[in-house]
Amino acid sequence: MANVIVDEMRCLAETNEAGSDDIYVMTFRGRIPSNGSVATDTEFTVHGGIDYWVNFNSGERGRRGVVLAAYDPRSLYIVQMVEKDNGRDVAGNVRELYKSGLELAWTAALARTIGHSASDRVAVLVSSITSAIRGLNSLHMEFPKGNDDEIGAPRRLILPAGNPSAVLHFVGDGGHYRTAVKVA
Protein backbone atom coordinates (compact mmCIF):
# COMPACT_ATOMS: atom_id res chain seq x y z
CA MET A 1 0.00 0.00 0.00
CA ALA A 2 1.38 3.41 -0.97
CA ASN A 3 1.27 6.49 1.25
CA VAL A 4 1.47 10.25 0.79
CA ILE A 5 4.64 11.28 2.62
CA VAL A 6 6.53 14.49 3.34
CA ASP A 7 9.56 14.55 1.06
CA GLU A 8 10.79 17.86 2.50
CA MET A 9 9.57 20.35 5.09
CA ARG A 10 11.31 23.71 4.84
CA CYS A 11 10.89 26.90 6.85
CA LEU A 12 11.24 29.83 4.46
CA ALA A 13 10.36 32.41 7.13
CA GLU A 14 9.49 31.82 10.76
CA THR A 15 6.87 33.72 12.70
CA ASN A 16 7.56 37.06 14.36
CA GLU A 17 7.02 35.54 17.81
CA ALA A 18 9.95 35.00 20.15
CA GLY A 19 11.77 31.72 19.65
CA SER A 20 11.63 29.04 16.99
CA ASP A 21 8.48 27.62 15.41
CA ASP A 22 6.95 24.21 16.08
CA ILE A 23 4.50 23.13 13.39
CA TYR A 24 2.12 20.32 12.62
CA VAL A 25 0.11 19.25 9.59
CA MET A 26 -3.51 18.12 9.46
CA THR A 27 -4.52 16.07 6.42
CA PHE A 28 -8.01 15.10 5.29
CA ARG A 29 -8.42 12.38 2.66
CA GLY A 30 -11.79 11.54 1.17
CA ARG A 31 -12.34 8.97 -1.58
CA ILE A 32 -14.67 10.25 -4.27
CA PRO A 33 -17.08 7.45 -5.22
CA SER A 34 -17.20 6.92 -8.99
CA ASN A 35 -20.87 5.94 -8.98
CA GLY A 36 -22.15 9.22 -7.52
CA SER A 37 -23.07 7.66 -4.18
CA VAL A 38 -22.58 9.16 -0.74
CA ALA A 39 -20.58 6.22 0.61
CA THR A 40 -17.83 7.59 2.81
CA ASP A 41 -14.23 6.52 2.95
CA THR A 42 -12.31 9.21 4.80
CA GLU A 43 -9.18 9.62 6.87
CA PHE A 44 -8.02 12.49 9.11
CA THR A 45 -4.44 12.59 10.37
CA VAL A 46 -2.39 15.01 12.45
CA HIS A 47 1.42 14.83 12.39
CA GLY A 48 4.16 16.93 13.89
CA GLY A 49 4.58 19.42 16.65
CA ILE A 50 5.89 16.83 19.08
CA ASP A 51 9.03 15.36 17.58
CA TYR A 52 8.79 15.91 13.81
CA TRP A 53 9.01 19.61 12.98
CA VAL A 54 10.16 21.57 16.01
CA ASN A 55 12.43 24.56 16.64
CA PHE A 56 12.29 25.82 13.06
CA ASN A 57 14.20 28.94 12.13
CA SER A 58 14.22 30.59 8.71
CA GLY A 59 16.04 28.46 6.15
CA GLU A 60 15.92 25.22 8.12
CA ARG A 61 14.66 21.89 6.87
CA GLY A 62 12.80 19.35 8.94
CA ARG A 63 12.23 15.63 9.17
CA ARG A 64 11.30 13.79 5.97
CA GLY A 65 9.44 10.56 5.36
CA VAL A 66 6.47 11.37 7.61
CA VAL A 67 3.30 9.62 6.38
CA LEU A 68 0.40 12.08 5.96
CA ALA A 69 -2.27 9.73 4.57
CA ALA A 70 -2.88 6.54 2.63
CA TYR A 71 -2.60 7.08 -1.12
CA ASP A 72 -5.62 6.52 -3.32
CA PRO A 73 -5.69 8.12 -6.80
CA ARG A 74 -9.50 8.49 -6.48
CA SER A 75 -9.21 10.59 -3.34
CA LEU A 76 -9.27 14.28 -2.59
CA TYR A 77 -6.64 15.58 -0.15
CA ILE A 78 -6.86 18.80 1.88
CA VAL A 79 -3.89 19.87 4.02
CA GLN A 80 -3.69 22.50 6.78
CA MET A 81 -0.43 23.62 8.39
CA VAL A 82 -0.54 24.89 11.96
CA GLU A 83 1.95 26.63 14.24
CA LYS A 84 1.87 25.02 17.69
CA ASP A 85 2.28 27.44 20.55
CA ASN A 86 1.93 25.34 23.71
CA GLY A 87 0.32 21.89 23.75
CA ARG A 88 -1.03 20.88 20.33
CA ASP A 89 -4.66 22.06 20.11
CA VAL A 90 -5.73 19.26 17.74
CA ALA A 91 -5.02 16.20 19.87
CA GLY A 92 -6.98 13.56 21.78
CA ASN A 93 -10.73 14.23 21.89
CA VAL A 94 -10.38 17.37 19.75
CA ARG A 95 -8.80 15.29 16.98
CA GLU A 96 -11.83 12.99 17.14
CA LEU A 97 -14.16 16.02 16.90
CA TYR A 98 -12.34 17.14 13.73
CA LYS A 99 -12.60 13.62 12.30
CA SER A 100 -16.35 13.39 13.00
CA GLY A 101 -17.04 16.92 11.75
CA LEU A 102 -15.12 16.36 8.53
CA GLU A 103 -16.83 13.00 7.88
CA LEU A 104 -20.21 14.73 8.28
CA ALA A 105 -19.18 17.61 5.98
CA TRP A 106 -17.89 15.09 3.41
CA THR A 107 -21.09 13.03 3.41
CA ALA A 108 -23.27 16.15 3.14
CA ALA A 109 -21.14 17.50 0.26
CA LEU A 110 -21.31 14.15 -1.56
CA ALA A 111 -25.10 14.20 -1.22
CA ARG A 112 -25.27 17.75 -2.63
CA THR A 113 -23.26 16.71 -5.67
CA ILE A 114 -25.23 13.68 -6.85
CA GLY A 115 -25.77 14.11 -10.56
CA HIS A 116 -23.10 16.81 -10.97
CA SER A 117 -20.18 16.55 -13.37
CA ALA A 118 -16.89 15.30 -11.92
CA SER A 119 -15.27 18.76 -11.97
CA ASP A 120 -18.30 20.42 -10.35
CA ARG A 121 -18.36 17.68 -7.74
CA VAL A 122 -14.69 18.16 -6.85
CA ALA A 123 -15.14 21.94 -6.54
CA VAL A 124 -18.01 21.49 -4.06
CA LEU A 125 -16.08 18.88 -2.08
CA VAL A 126 -12.96 21.07 -1.85
CA SER A 127 -15.00 24.08 -0.75
CA SER A 128 -16.97 22.07 1.82
CA ILE A 129 -13.95 20.45 3.46
CA THR A 130 -11.90 23.66 3.42
CA SER A 131 -14.78 25.52 5.08
CA ALA A 132 -15.27 22.73 7.62
CA ILE A 133 -11.58 22.78 8.57
CA ARG A 134 -11.63 26.59 8.95
CA GLY A 135 -14.77 26.35 11.10
CA LEU A 136 -13.28 23.66 13.31
CA ASN A 137 -10.07 25.70 13.61
CA SER A 138 -12.05 28.72 14.77
CA LEU A 139 -13.67 26.63 17.48
CA HIS A 140 -10.63 24.74 18.71
CA MET A 141 -7.73 27.10 18.03
CA GLU A 142 -9.32 30.40 18.93
CA PHE A 143 -12.33 29.95 21.21
CA PRO A 144 -12.17 29.36 24.14
CA LYS A 145 -8.87 27.59 24.92
CA GLY A 146 -6.81 27.36 21.78
CA ASN A 147 -3.66 29.20 20.97
CA ASP A 148 -2.30 27.47 17.87
CA ASP A 149 -2.31 29.46 14.61
CA GLU A 150 -3.29 28.45 11.10
CA ILE A 151 -0.46 29.05 8.66
CA GLY A 152 -2.48 30.21 5.69
CA ALA A 153 -5.66 28.50 4.54
CA PRO A 154 -6.19 24.76 4.03
CA ARG A 155 -4.84 23.72 0.64
CA ARG A 156 -5.88 21.08 -1.84
CA LEU A 157 -3.08 18.63 -2.54
CA ILE A 158 -3.14 17.46 -6.16
CA LEU A 159 -1.05 14.38 -6.91
CA PRO A 160 -0.95 14.00 -10.71
CA ALA A 161 -1.05 10.49 -12.18
CA GLY A 162 2.33 9.39 -13.46
CA ASN A 163 4.17 11.90 -11.25
CA PRO A 164 2.51 11.72 -7.84
CA SER A 165 4.39 14.54 -6.14
CA ALA A 166 3.55 18.14 -5.34
CA VAL A 167 4.69 21.20 -3.44
CA LEU A 168 2.44 23.24 -1.16
CA HIS A 169 3.29 26.68 0.22
CA PHE A 170 1.68 27.82 3.45
CA VAL A 171 2.00 31.53 4.22
CA GLY A 172 0.47 33.37 7.17
CA ASP A 173 1.13 34.95 10.55
CA GLY A 174 2.65 31.63 11.61
CA GLY A 175 5.41 31.87 8.99
CA HIS A 176 6.07 30.63 5.45
CA TYR A 177 6.64 26.94 4.85
CA ARG A 178 7.31 24.85 1.76
CA THR A 179 6.10 21.27 1.98
CA ALA A 180 7.08 18.81 -0.74
CA VAL A 181 5.13 15.58 -0.74
CA LYS A 182 5.28 12.42 -2.80
CA VAL A 183 3.71 9.00 -3.01
CA ALA A 184 5.95 6.18 -1.82
Side-chain angles (χ1 to χ4, degrees):
M1 173 185 242
N3 291 305
V4 178
I5 65 166
V6 173
D7 194 33
E8 178 185 69
M9 181 68 74
R10 185 166 186 190
C11 176
L12 300 177
E14 65 190 271
T15 184
N16 296 341
E17 295 175 359
S20 303
D21 291 349
D22 295 348
I23 61 167
Y24 61 97
V25 175
M26 300 186 302
T27 307
F28 171 84
R29 181 199 56 80
R31 187 172 162 278
I32 303 171
S34 59
N35 60 2
S37 75
V38 295
T40 61
D41 177 10
T42 65
E43 176 182 14
F44 177 70
T45 60
V46 182
H47 294 290
I50 297 169
D51 58 357
Y52 294 153
W53 304 301
V54 296
N55 299 320
F56 267 116
N57 292 300
S58 296
E60 290 185 342
R61 293 180 180 173
R63 182 173 170 188
R64 302 168 58 164
V66 176
V67 175
L68 296 181
Y71 176 67
D72 179 349
R74 299 164 294 176
S75 288
L76 173 75
Y77 297 85
I78 305 290
V79 180
Q80 171 75 71
M81 184 168 294
V82 180
E83 179 196 10
K84 178 182 84 66
D85 287 328
N86 291 316
R88 191 171 74 193
D89 286 350
V90 184
N93 290 339
V94 172
R95 183 192 165 284
E96 292 305 312
L97 291 171
Y98 269 76
K99 184 177 188 242
S100 297
L102 293 171
E103 284 177 357
L104 181 62
W106 181 255
T107 302
L110 285 173
R112 285 195 314 275
T113 63
I114 292 174
H116 287 74
S117 69
S119 62
D120 288 345
R121 194 170 206 206
V122 168
V124 169
L125 293 168
V126 168
S127 177
S128 296
I129 294 302
T130 299
S131 294
I133 289 172
R134 296 300 296 267
L136 289 161
N137 290 349
S138 70
L139 287 173
H140 300 291
M141 291 183 198
E142 296 172 17
F143 175 81
K145 71 152 195 87
N147 56 15
D148 289 351
D149 303 306
E150 296 176 328
I151 302 176
R155 306 285 311 269
R156 179 178 177 202
L157 173 61
I158 300 173
L159 297 162
N163 181 21
S165 64
V167 174
L168 296 175
H169 284 268
F170 294 91
V171 182
D173 291 339
H176 180 180
Y177 287 85
R178 176 187 181 276
T179 306
V181 299
K182 68 179 182 180
V183 174

